[in-house]
Amino acid sequence: MSSPFTTPGALSWHELTSNNCQESMQFYGEIFGWTFKTMQMPQGPYYIIENQGTHIGGIAPNPCPKLPSHWTGYITVSDVDEVAIKAKTMGGELLYGPEDIPSIGRFCWIKDPEGAIIAAITYHNPEDWL
């Protein structure tokens, strides 16, 4: 079976941008049985979501607390920079990035012409951190 972390076009990661990470972890931990590991990032803590020992997503503090908490799906791609350029030429908007995540990969957030937001990511050696 192929991994969503290495298969272009696969939905590989789900990230909650939360206005209260502790409450979010308690809520989703109780409902789904998820556990969390804290990863220190330059902008603060990032909480890896684990489901039965498998990393499935993360929870990050909302950089704009005026906006509601929200989920974003990450799609695996071969070249994030190429996807960012293509999205813009097709009427999309680049909201963030492309930017590197140390030891993880490179990502960007895209808004499609209808206003929906999704992220694209290229992973560096996912077998090292999964």
Side-chain angles (χ1 to χ4, degrees):
M1 184 170 131
S2 62
S3 166
F5 297 98
T6 58
T7 305
L11 180 59
S12 58
W13 197 253
H14 304 276
E15 184 173 82
L16 174 60
T17 303
S18 175
N19 288 327
N20 189 321
C21 294
Q22 297 303 317
E23 283 186 16
S24 295
M25 288 187 292
Q26 182 178 352
F27 180 82
Y28 290 108
E30 292 277 334
I31 290 177
F32 299 123
W34 292 347
T35 57
F36 306 90
K37 285 187 179 176
T38 303
M39 185 172 146
Q40 292 302 325
M41 301 295 285
Q43 63 273 30
Y46 185 84
Y47 306 97
I48 303 291
I49 302 168
E50 290 190 339
N51 183 47
Q52 299 180 18
T54 300
H55 298 171
I56 62 167
I59 297 177
N62 193 346
C64 186
K66 292 180 182 179
L67 296 177
S69 298
H70 59 278
W71 285 95
T72 303
Y74 281 70
I75 306 298
T76 301
V77 299
S78 297
D79 185 330
V80 166
D81 294 274
E82 182 179 298
V83 167
I85 291 166
K86 189 171 187 178
K88 286 173 27 178
T89 64
M90 296 184 66
E93 181 182 343
L94 191 59
L95 298 177
Y96 191 85
E99 183 174 297
D100 292 323
I101 305 169
S103 303
I104 303 296
R106 187 165 174 80
F107 79 106
C108 68
W109 279 20
I110 299 165
K111 184 180 348 178
D112 73 17
E114 299 301 315
I117 298 171
I118 197 152
I121 187 165
T122 301
Y123 295 97
H124 302 307
N125 305 315
E127 60 280 351
D128 292 345
W129 52 268
L130 290 176

